């Protein structure tokens, strides 16, 4: 049986991943802005314009990534990391036949204390199928039926 301490470890690990992701995107955006400011207009005007357009595309990409990650972090911070859940809701840790699932943000598989944890959001297809279910409920997903073995 897993404890709330294990749930807190998962939360902290995911929070750290999100913080690292935001820091990396911010650092890349800062470097790009430095490049943009240092780009000098040379006699080859087309080359300058092409370079600036490429920098602008990258800037737009980093800004979207930062906005998306900030939004995920905002929702993630609302999770009570130690709350005991009786239904599938944000912050619930589930034991399914396929393994452990943490309802938080769609971050994929993370490793915590040697255990593989699949971090999912309630908006994902599996999250929608699990939403508001309880221990021992049977759900159908991808033409398979399985039982929720535990919820923490």
């Amino acid at each position: 049986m897993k404890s709330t301490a294990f749930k807190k470890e998962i939360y902290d690990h995911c929070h750290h991943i999100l913080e690292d992701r935001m820091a990396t995107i911010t650092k890349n955006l800062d470097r790009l802005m430095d490049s943009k400011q240092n780009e000098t207009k040379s006699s080859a005007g087309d080359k300058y314009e092409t370079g600036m357009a490429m920098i602008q595309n990258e800037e737009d990409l980093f800004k979207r990534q930062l906005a998306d990650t900030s939004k995920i972090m905002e929702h993630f911070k609302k999770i009570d990391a130690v709350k005991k859940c009786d239904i599938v809701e944000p912050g619930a840790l589930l034991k399914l036949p396929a393994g452990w699932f943490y309802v938080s943000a769609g971050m994929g598989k993370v490793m915590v204390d040697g255990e593989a944890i699949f971090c999912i959001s309630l908006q994902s297809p599996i999250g929608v199928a699990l939403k508001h279910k309880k221990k021992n409920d049977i759900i159908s997903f991808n033409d398979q039926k399985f039982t929720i073995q535990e919820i923490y």
Side-chain angles (χ1 to χ4, degrees), residues 3-4 25 36 38 44-45 61-62 70 85 105 125-126:
S3 67
T4 54
I25 295 167
K36 189 176 183 179
N38 293 332
L61 174 67
F62 287 139
S70 295
C85 298
I126 185 114

Side-chain angles (χ1 to χ4, degrees), residues 39-142:
E39 185 76 18
T40 58
K41 190 162 189 165
S42 66
S43 58
D46 286 346
K47 182 179 176 187
Y48 170 79
E49 295 301 327
T50 301
M52 289 303 287
M54 289 174 63
I55 289 172
Q56 185 62 47
N57 287 341
E58 282 188 69
E59 180 182 348
D60 292 344
L61 174 67
F62 287 139
K63 285 182 176 179
R64 272 194 311 276
Q65 288 175 342
L66 188 59
D68 291 346
T69 305
S70 295
K71 189 175 179 181
I72 291 168
M73 180 65 96
E74 182 181 312
H75 291 294
F76 190 82
K77 285 182 176 180
K78 293 178 184 175
I79 294 172
D80 182 347
V82 294
K83 176 185 175 191
K84 168 69 174 114
C85 298
D86 296 317
I87 63 169
V88 178
E89 61 184 331
L93 176 63
L94 318 171
K95 177 65 173 168
L96 304 174
W100 290 101
F101 288 75
Y102 185 56
V103 182
S104 55
M107 298 172 58
K109 183 170 106 173
V110 299
M111 296 297 291
V112 178
D113 284 350
E115 295 271 3
I117 313 295
F118 297 95
C119 299
I120 62 168
S121 75
L122 284 178
Q123 291 75 34
S124 67
I126 185 114
V128 169
L130 288 165
K131 191 173 186 176
H132 300 300
K133 300 293 185 192
K134 298 179 216 152
K135 181 179 175 179
N136 296 322
D137 281 356
I138 297 171
I139 68 160
S140 293
F141 182 72
N142 283 348

